[in-house]
Amino acid sequence: MIEIKNLKKSFDTNVVLSDLCSNIPDNAIYGLIGANGSGKSTLLRLINSIYKPDEGTILIDGVSSYDNEEVKKEMVFVPDDLYFYPGYSLYDTAKFYQAMYPKFNLEFVFDTARKLKLDFNKSINTFSKGMRRQCAIICALATNAKYIFFDETFDGIDPVVRQYFKKLIAKQMTKQDTTIIMTSHNLRELEDICDNLGLISEHKILFESDVNSLKTDMIKVQISFKNDFDESLFAKLDVLSFKKIGKVATLIIKDKKGSKKYLESLKPVILDYLPLTLEEIFIYQMEALGYEFN
C-alpha cells in the first residue's frame, strides 16, 4: 500500500503540490487524472525518489521510499519523457533492466515484441514515438515489480495497440498482485481499466474513489409528468443537477436507498434511468465540492 500524507513540493516560488494526501491500495490499477501541469508527473517522481519532498511523508508498505534500495527493487517508473541509451536495442534495454530487477522475465519481452512486430535488435531511437512507448511498457511489465508507474501511459500509441496493452496491464495486475499507477489528462482513456481514480487539482488530490462506488452512488434520471412541475418536487432526494426542457426533466441524483422507489411513487408518465459516464460523474462530484472539472 502507498500512503501519502501532507506532501508538499515547490520549485523556487512555484508551488506544485501542497498538503497532498492519498492512499493507493494494493493489487489495483489506480488512475491519476488532471490537467497538464497539475502535478501528476511531479507526484510520481516524488514517490519514486527522483525528487525529494519539501514536506510530508511517502510510505511504501509502511516504509519510507526515499533513497531506500530495497523498496526501489519493487518499483519501476515509465516517465512521459522517455529516454533510451544511444544505440540501445530493445534487447539491450531488456538486459539493462534484468541487471536491476531479479524477477525480470526476458522471455516475456521477446514474446510480446514478436506479437507487436517490434525488432528487438534494432536501435530503439530509430523507432516512432508510439513504438518507443511500447518498448518502455513491455520492459516495465517484464520486471514483475510490485509497483509499476506509467506517466501518460498510452501517449502516441494507436487505438488497437492501446487496447492490447490495457489487457496486458490488467493481466499483469491479476497474475502478479501488482499495483499499477497510471496518469493521464484524459479521463476517458483510463475509465475502462482503472479500479480507482484520483483527481489532482489545486495542488492536491481533491477527489478519489473506487470506480464501482462512483458508478453505483449516482443515477441519471429522465422524468416527465402530465402536469407542470419544478425541482421542489424532488426535495426529499439528494439532487446534484436539475435541468428541464419543456415537460421533461433530467436529474442527477446522489443515490440513496429508496430513491428509485420514491420516483416511481410520484406516478410519472416518463421515467428512464440513463447510463452515466465517469466524466459526467466527476463533473457533478466536483461541482458539489465547489470546483470546476475540465
Side-chain angles (χ1 to χ4, degrees):
M1 183 175 184
I2 300 175
E3 300 171 86
I4 305 170
K5 298 178 181 178
N6 307 119
L7 196 64
K8 181 177 180 180
K9 183 63 181 176
S10 300
F11 297 98
D12 296 325
T13 59
N14 180 31
V15 177
V16 181
L17 301 174
S18 179
D19 199 31
L20 185 146
C21 299
S22 178
N23 288 319
I24 299 175
D26 284 339
N27 193 25
I29 301 177
Y30 184 96
L32 184 64
I33 61 168
N36 290 327
S38 60
K40 303 186 302 296
S41 299
T42 299
L43 178 56
L44 293 195
R45 283 173 166 81
L46 286 163
I47 297 173
N48 284 274
S49 300
I50 298 169
Y51 296 153
K52 185 177 181 180
D54 298 334
E55 296 177 16
T57 59
I58 301 171
L59 301 179
I60 309 293
D61 295 331
V63 178
S64 175
S65 64
Y66 190 74
D67 273 354
N68 189 320
E69 290 187 13
E70 290 304 311
V71 172
K72 286 184 178 181
K73 288 179 183 178
E74 290 294 342
M75 301 168 67
V76 61
F77 174 43
V78 178
D80 181 27
D81 50 342
L82 296 176
Y83 175 81
F84 299 96
Y85 286 111
Y88 265 42
S89 64
L90 177 55
Y91 176 76
D92 296 326
T93 303
K95 293 295 287 184
F96 177 76
Y97 273 81
Q98 189 178 39
M100 295 185 292
Y101 293 95
K103 295 184 287 184
F104 191 85
N105 187 346
L106 192 59
E107 189 56 40
F108 172 83
V109 177
F110 291 150
D111 183 54
T112 309
R114 289 189 195 101
K115 289 177 181 176
L116 294 170
K117 296 181 171 58
L118 294 171
D119 187 341
F120 42 80
N121 292 311
K122 188 177 180 181
S123 172
I124 292 178
N125 287 324
T126 66
F127 288 173
S128 68
K129 178 182 179 181
M131 292 168 71
R132 292 197 299 272
R133 178 68 59 179
Q134 291 175 46
C135 291
I137 295 174
I138 291 169
C139 286
L141 293 175
T143 65
N144 287 307
K146 184 177 179 182
Y147 296 99
I148 303 179
F149 302 82
F150 295 113
D151 195 5
E152 296 297 343
T153 319
F154 306 111
D155 188 29
I157 299 178
D158 69 66
V160 174
V161 178
R162 185 179 303 174
Q163 283 303 118
Y164 173 79
F165 272 112
K166 284 184 178 181
K167 291 177 182 178
L168 206 61
I169 288 168
K171 184 178 179 181
Q172 173 76 13
M173 185 271 290
T174 304
K175 181 179 70 175
Q176 297 290 340
D177 289 338
T178 308
T179 299
I180 296 172
I181 295 88
M182 314 169 73
T183 76
S184 180
H185 58 275
N186 186 343
L187 177 57
R188 291 176 185 173
E189 187 174 77
L190 299 182
E191 68 175 306
D192 62 341
I193 187 174
C194 292
D195 304 302
N196 299 73
L197 286 168
L199 173 66
I200 187 168
S201 184
E202 307 287 334
H203 313 304
K204 63 185 72 176
I205 292 179
L206 292 178
F207 177 80
E208 63 181 350
S209 176
D210 69 273
V211 172
N212 287 334
S213 293
L214 281 173
K215 289 183 174 180
T216 57
D217 284 353
M218 203 178 294
I219 56 173
K220 185 177 184 179
V221 178
Q222 207 166 58
I223 194 166
S224 181
F225 298 88
K226 288 182 181 179
N227 300 320
D228 194 28
F229 65 99
D230 58 27
E231 189 174 356
S232 63
L233 182 63
F234 311 101
K236 290 185 178 181
L237 303 177
D238 189 356
V239 178
L240 299 179
S241 174
F242 176 88
K243 294 177 182 177
K244 186 177 174 218
I245 300 176
K247 286 192 173 184
V248 179
T250 302
L251 289 80
I252 307 297
I253 300 170
K254 189 80 171 177
D255 193 25
K256 296 176 181 176
K257 190 175 180 180
S259 295
K260 291 183 179 181
K261 188 175 180 180
Y262 176 76
L263 290 170
E264 291 163 7
S265 72
L266 298 175
K267 306 295 184 184
V269 293
I270 296 174
L271 178 58
D272 291 324
Y273 298 105
L274 307 176
L276 268 167
T277 66
L278 278 179
E279 188 169 357
E280 288 179 302
I281 291 169
F282 264 75
I283 287 170
Y284 295 118
Q285 290 281 11
M286 294 310 296
E287 286 180 352
L289 292 172
Y291 295 98
E292 288 186 6
F293 175 73
N294 296 309

